[in-house]
Structures are given as C-alpha cells and as structure tokens.
Amino acid sequence: FAIPLANSMKNRSILRITFSAVAAASILHTSCDALLLTSISPRSKRVASSIRSVQSSLTSEDATSNQYDKIYFDIGVKTQPNNQRGSTILNVGRLWFNLTPTNHPHYLPLHISNLCNLAASKTKAIDSKATYVGCTFQFSPATIDDGFGRYRWGHQCDGYGRNGIQVSLASGQLTDWDEPFSDPERVKDCVHASFGGKYYGWRYDEISDLLSTEGGDDTAAILLTVPIHGPGAGTSKFSIVRVSESPREWGERLLLNSAVVGFLDCGDNGGFGDDTNDGRSSLDVLRAMAQQKIGVPTIVGCGTEMNE
C-alpha cells in the first residue's frame, strides 16, 4: 500500500512501504526517497478479547465487560530536510492504550485526566500548545540501540510543557497551565516497592497477568507511564515503556519514580486515515517506530475514546 508524505511546503509525494509478515521485527531503509518496513507480525485478535478475569481489585462486571477508556496517538516519522525542500512526515500508524479503570484502587484521576485532556486538545482554545499534536519523542542514536543490537525499551515524549488541567492549591488559587501539579493523597495509596525503589499506579504484574492468556508477542506488556518524581513530574511528559521486552536485568526498574496509567492494546488496529484497515496492529506500529532510523517519531494526531 502507498502512504502519502506531506512536507512543510504542502507538497505531497508517495512513498511505498511494504509490511511483510516475519518472525522477527526489523526495519530496513535505503535513502530519503524509499523506505522498506519489514517488521510486521501476523495480525492478532484484539488483546482485550483475550483478557481473562481481572484480579479481585476490579468487580466481576468490569472483568467480563473488558471495557476500557482509551487514548491513541497517530505516529509519523519526520525525515531530514534536504536542499530542495523541508522535512516530510511519513505516517507509521496508530498506538492504542487502555487506561486504568476509574474504579480501580490504583486509578490516578489527575494524571490520567491531564493526559486525556491534552490528547483530546480540550484546552487548545485557551493555549495552542495544550495538545500532543506535533510533539516528538526523544530521538538519537542512544534512544534506538543499546549497543548490543537491541532497540531501546522506552520512548519519552515531553509534550509542550502545558497541562490540560488546573489543580487547586492550599491557598485556594488554581495552578497555571504551565505549572506542575501533584496528587499526593492518591499517589500514596498506589505505591509499589521494587528493586529498592518505588513506582506507582497500576501494578505491572497485574497487567502482565491480564495479558498472559494468549501469550506470544502480541500480548507484550508495554506500559504507558507518567513521571511522579524527578524531571517532568506533573507536566505533559509521558513515556511508553517496553517492560516485558526489556533485558531481564531491567524489568520493573524501568518504572521507578513513575506511575503506570495504562497499557498498549497490542492487537488493536494500528492503521489510521486512508490506511485504517491495512492489517497493522498497535504492536506492529510501536516496533516500527522503535526500530526505524530515518528520523524523529512525531505525534501527528491523537485523541480519546471514552466509555459512557
């Protein structure tokens, strides 16, 4: 199938991308004029349909319905500019994440609301930077390869530094849109000790159990996190962490000082726009994004899908 490229001068060209079903994910690229992606595993059933009964922290009704509020990010790759024209964007696909259920004991309402409001651009009328559209993921040789031929297991997006919520302070005033917020009362109720440190939110082992029924690559535990302590805490920053695909010596250490607010719906449809039903899954898209060395991964669209 063909994927259109749009540059800053609104010129359009077509770049042919072929996704092949192979046992191991890989990406090959030739020049700025051609890109061959050969990373795609066979499309699986939606992960949500195979999720077994949720642990006792959720009600039986929630366990059988398998319904989650969702957030999505449409990912493109920004190619390097040349002398003839500016940079172009190559559409890679859509990433769907299931969010922590609202009645879950480890639900973090402020952090998840901030993430969702920015994805839905709810306050963009107030501040044009109150969105994730146009934001990039950290991209450098160090974020692609760990030196042993393995692609990196975490992808960080700083956002624009604007929040999608305002929080009441002790003084009664509201935080500014660019002012970090915190939710200490909720955070202290969902802290988990791990390797001498702490992480927060939805427990990794619970999510791993939810995904363990089918097994295989299409149920990888890839988590959506926000920082609780350190740089970026209480801001637009978030990360996609490939916990189950990381080296054994890392694992849950990758979650320290952050909160888990959701997980990748690996089997969900990874297409969008003119390529909605092209056979890619969200997991295919993430692996393509992780392994490519063409340019900076960029959020070209985003939004939410909330259950009534």
Side-chain angles (χ1 to χ4, degrees):
F1 60 92
I3 291 182
L5 292 176
N7 60 26
S8 59
M9 300 298 294
K10 297 185 178 180
N11 292 325
R12 293 182 178 274
S13 58
I14 298 297
L15 195 62
R16 178 72 53 182
I17 299 181
T18 304
F19 285 83
S20 303
V22 294
S26 63
I27 290 185
L28 302 176
H29 62 87
T30 54
S31 67
C32 292
D33 299 321
L35 172 67
L36 180 65
L37 300 180
T38 58
S39 65
I40 305 309
S41 60
R43 185 182 183 188
S44 67
K45 298 182 295 183
R46 290 172 57 89
V47 171
S49 67
S50 67
I51 292 179
R52 59 190 174 91
S53 296
V54 184
Q55 294 181 349
S56 58
S57 57
L58 294 178
T59 66
S60 59
E61 181 180 356
D62 292 325
T64 55
S65 65
N66 290 325
Q67 293 297 309
Y68 295 95
D69 288 339
K70 289 175 171 286
I71 189 171
Y72 69 85
F73 301 100
D74 293 335
I75 305 299
V77 170
K78 185 179 293 185
T79 65
Q80 297 298 320
N82 55 41
N83 294 331
Q84 283 71 43
R85 58 186 182 181
S87 61
T88 58
I89 297 292
L90 167 65
N91 290 338
V92 178
R94 176 170 291 181
L95 301 176
W96 281 101
F97 292 90
N98 295 323
L99 299 173
T100 311
T102 56
N103 64 339
H104 193 288
H106 297 154
Y107 176 72
L108 291 169
L110 295 185
H111 293 83
I112 291 179
S113 293
N114 187 51
L115 197 70
C116 289
N117 285 355
L118 289 173
S121 302
K122 284 191 174 181
T123 58
K124 191 176 180 181
I126 301 173
D127 187 335
S128 61
K129 292 187 176 181
T131 181
Y132 284 120
V133 176
C135 294
T136 60
F137 288 86
Q138 294 181 12
F139 181 78
S140 70
T143 63
I144 299 172
D145 195 306
D146 65 358
F148 298 95
R150 301 175 297 193
Y151 56 93
R152 286 293 185 182
W153 42 88
H155 312 280
Q156 296 183 6
C157 176
D158 292 326
Y160 287 122
R162 302 293 197 275
N163 283 326
I165 62 171
Q166 290 181 296
V167 177
S168 296
L169 302 173
S171 63
Q173 293 181 322
L174 293 176
T175 56
D176 291 330
W177 296 106
D178 59 354
E179 183 178 355
F181 67 88
S182 62
D183 193 5
E185 293 302 313
R186 288 295 302 141
V187 166
K188 74 178 184 180
D189 291 334
C190 58
V191 57
H192 315 298
S194 180
F195 298 101
K198 298 176 181 178
Y199 75 95
Y200 308 84
W202 209 347
R203 290 184 63 92
Y204 166 69
D205 57 358
E206 181 181 340
I207 294 174
S208 182
D209 284 345
L210 294 178
L211 298 173
S212 65
T213 303
E214 289 292 320
D217 289 341
D218 292 324
T219 53
I222 297 170
L223 308 185
L224 181 65
T225 71
V226 294
I228 296 297
H229 300 296
T235 70
S236 56
K237 185 175 182 178
F238 71 89
S239 298
I240 301 170
V241 187
R242 319 167 74 87
V243 180
S244 67
E245 295 190 334
S246 69
R248 179 174 294 183
E249 63 269 22
W250 286 97
E252 288 177 272
R253 288 185 176 91
L254 297 170
L255 304 175
L256 297 182
N257 298 320
S258 64
V260 178
V261 295
F263 65 91
L264 185 72
D265 191 343
C266 296
D268 211 335
N269 188 354
F272 72 94
D274 294 334
D275 305 307
T276 300
N277 297 308
D278 59 19
R280 284 172 292 173
S281 69
S282 281
L283 183 58
D284 295 331
V285 171
L286 185 61
R287 286 176 172 168
M289 165 185 155
Q291 292 177 283
Q292 62 81 30
K293 299 182 181 181
I294 294 293
V296 181
T298 302
I299 299 173
V300 298
C302 52
T304 58
E305 185 178 281
M306 300 297 180
N307 293 306
E308 297 296 335

